[in-house]
Amino acid sequence: MNTPIKKTIILSLLIFFFLPTVQIEAQKKPKNIVFMIGDGMGLAHVYAAMVNNGNKLELERCKNIGFSKTFSANNFTTDSGAGGTALACGVKTKNGMIGMNADSIPAESILELAEKNNLATGMVAACAITHATPASFIAHQVSRNMYEEIAADFLKTDIDVFIGGGRKNFEVRADGRNLSNELKTKNYQIAYNLDEVLTAKNGKLAGLLSENHSPAMPERGDMLPESTMKAIDLLDNNKKGFFLMVEGSQIDWASHDNNADLLVKEVLDFDKTVGKVLDYAKKHGNTLVIITADHETGGLTLPKGNIKEKQIKANFSTKDHSGILVPIYSYGPGSEKFQGFMDNTSLKVKMETLLNLKK
Ligand code: MG
Ligand code: ZN
């Protein structure tokens, strides 16, 4: 056989066998989703942490990148209530509202929808679990400040694992209820510190590790990465899959304080958690990991820096949030759906489609 014909035959065979595999790979759907929110984490925050970390981050392992438009129903600049609600429930709402549309009508969250479809569900946050971002995934209240009402909303769901602070909102309440006791009657194990979280057995787990918020880095230690991996360990016993929300909560607070050193530490703690989750996703191949922010905080820019010395000069333009687009990084089956520019309300719709969730 002459060489050009041989080449054509080999090429045809390669296309015949290889192309369908590529297509199947591209259409593969995830069994599990880990949705990770760096509160206030804009692109400059990511780069500040990257430079400080020797010009690299775990986040760089994500090959699919997009941008999310974060404006709320009544403001160019969203707060974490409206931002969290857009991500969790797929609706624009007014700043300060939790899990409701702008007309105060409750909107179902991706976590609630996953629960209804018999997936295991969980949340881990580096602040009170009743705070705006995690609250948006489980509660329906007109104000983010209604912490006790938000805590009570946890009892109306079947969430399998939640770990964060906010113990007082469950146990020291104006209505006299002790929600931890009520959780125990619903077969939850209650953990009051990280050791108790890590030794929890199979089954439901409520981790209330601080009276109010968990401490800032470095005092918080490995609370976020270790709690996150424990949550995955408990949730992935469910054969139908799981949905887990993880929040790097205090990137936002360091940025409100215009504290560049602390925001870098908080982003690196979040990034460490991202690395562990990506290791899990790589090993199992069935988990979509989405990492994004609800908005940018601080209007941060980095006019100067030094890669070798791992130094940045941070300029903040506000003590509040800014309205700029925030990046979306994703990894695993379905991650190609999160490329390009999109509204913050479209992530929930994409996730429910990928998980085949029925309303
Ligand atoms: Mg938050
Ligand atoms: Zn904020």
Side-chain angles (χ1 to χ4, degrees):
M1 219 187 282
N2 70 30
T3 324
I5 292 177
K6 226 188 212 170
K7 265 190 184 164
T8 313
I9 291 173
I10 292 172
L11 197 64
S12 310
L13 283 172
L14 274 176
I15 289 172
F16 184 78
F17 286 109
F18 191 63
L19 203 61
T21 337
V22 171
Q23 277 170 350
I24 288 164
E25 202 59 36
Q27 288 163 3
K28 214 175 136 190
K29 287 193 166 182
K31 179 182 174 193
N32 314 311
I33 293 183
V34 183
F35 190 62
M36 306 183 71
I37 302 174
D39 196 316
M41 187 179 76
L43 191 55
H45 298 67
V46 168
Y47 194 53
M50 194 182 285
V51 171
N52 183 276
N53 194 46
N55 208 17
K56 60 178 184 345
L57 284 180
E58 297 286 351
L59 204 46
E60 292 178 63
R61 293 160 64 185
C62 297
K63 299 304 175 203
N64 286 313
I65 295 174
F67 290 100
S68 153
K69 303 173 187 180
T70 65
F71 62 89
S72 73
N74 68 338
N75 208 308
F76 178 75
T77 305
T78 189
D79 83 312
S80 293
T85 298
L87 295 171
C89 307
V91 296
K92 292 278 187 193
T93 193
K94 294 177 191 160
N95 283 8
M97 293 178 79
I98 298 294
M100 287 182 163
N101 72 14
D103 299 321
S104 306
I105 295 167
E108 191 172 44
S109 77
I110 181 72
L111 186 146
E112 290 168 314
L113 195 55
E115 195 63 59
K116 199 156 85 179
N117 282 262
N118 299 316
L119 276 74
T121 57
M123 291 204 284
V124 179
C127 69
I129 201 73
T130 44
H131 205 249
T133 311
S136 301
F137 285 79
I138 201 160
H140 306 279
Q141 299 294 343
V142 289
S143 166
R144 56 184 289 171
N145 299 321
M146 298 165 72
Y147 295 118
E148 294 183 5
E149 290 83 354
I150 288 167
D153 277 352
F154 277 70
L155 279 289
K156 295 176 186 159
T157 75
D158 253 329
I159 185 170
D160 296 275
V161 176
F162 58 94
I163 307 166
R167 180 176 172 178
K168 67 173 187 184
N169 303 140
F170 285 79
E171 298 183 357
V172 188
R173 299 167 52 85
D175 62 8
R177 283 170 72 185
N178 183 322
L179 301 185
S180 292
N181 289 342
E182 293 182 30
L183 285 165
K184 280 180 204 158
T185 67
K186 291 182 77 177
N187 294 320
Y188 284 83
Q189 311 159 76
I190 311 287
Y192 288 129
N193 56 56
L194 187 57
D195 284 339
E196 288 174 10
V197 164
L198 298 178
T199 53
K201 301 282 182 314
N202 289 349
K204 290 176 173 260
L205 172 67
L208 298 168
L209 309 192
S210 306
E211 278 305 304
N212 191 18
H213 297 304
S214 309
M217 290 304 289
E219 205 192 319
R220 199 168 65 246
D222 279 334
M223 178 268 169
L224 189 65
E226 292 197 10
S227 301
T228 297
M229 295 322 290
K230 181 65 186 187
I232 290 178
D233 179 39
L234 294 171
L235 296 175
D236 82 351
N237 294 328
N238 185 314
K239 289 195 174 60
K240 295 202 81 174
F242 66 83
F243 174 84
L244 172 67
M245 193 288 295
V246 178
E247 188 198 19
S249 319
Q250 301 196 28
I251 299 165
D252 177 62
W253 303 349
S255 307
H256 279 288
D257 288 342
N258 290 1
N259 182 338
D261 286 343
L262 183 56
L263 87 80
V264 163
K265 288 191 182 86
E266 290 290 345
V267 174
L268 289 177
D269 174 58
F270 184 62
D271 186 61
K272 182 179 188 174
T273 312
V274 167
K276 287 182 184 293
V277 172
L278 292 179
D279 288 344
Y280 174 90
K282 188 180 176 193
K283 187 174 164 198
H284 295 270
N286 57 4
T287 303
L288 168 62
V289 186
I290 302 159
I291 303 127
T292 189
D294 47 355
H295 52 74
E296 195 270 354
T297 306
L300 177 62
T301 57
L302 308 172
K304 287 193 180 101
N306 187 316
I307 302 280
K308 249 191 213 154
E309 290 171 15
K310 303 179 180 179
Q311 294 292 328
I312 48 125
K313 182 190 177 317
N315 258 6
F316 293 91
S317 59
T318 175
K319 291 229 164 197
D320 206 333
H321 303 167
S322 80
I324 197 168
L325 297 159
V326 291
I328 306 161
Y329 313 85
S330 55
Y331 179 99
S335 58
E336 69 284 350
K337 302 281 187 219
F338 297 85
Q339 292 175 346
F341 289 78
M342 65 196 80
D343 196 86
N344 58 359
T345 54
S346 72
L347 282 82
K348 186 241 180 184
V349 182
K350 290 173 193 285
M351 289 192 280
E352 71 185 35
T353 305
L354 284 167
L355 288 174
N356 277 326
L357 302 180
K358 307 272 176 290
K359 297 208 176 168

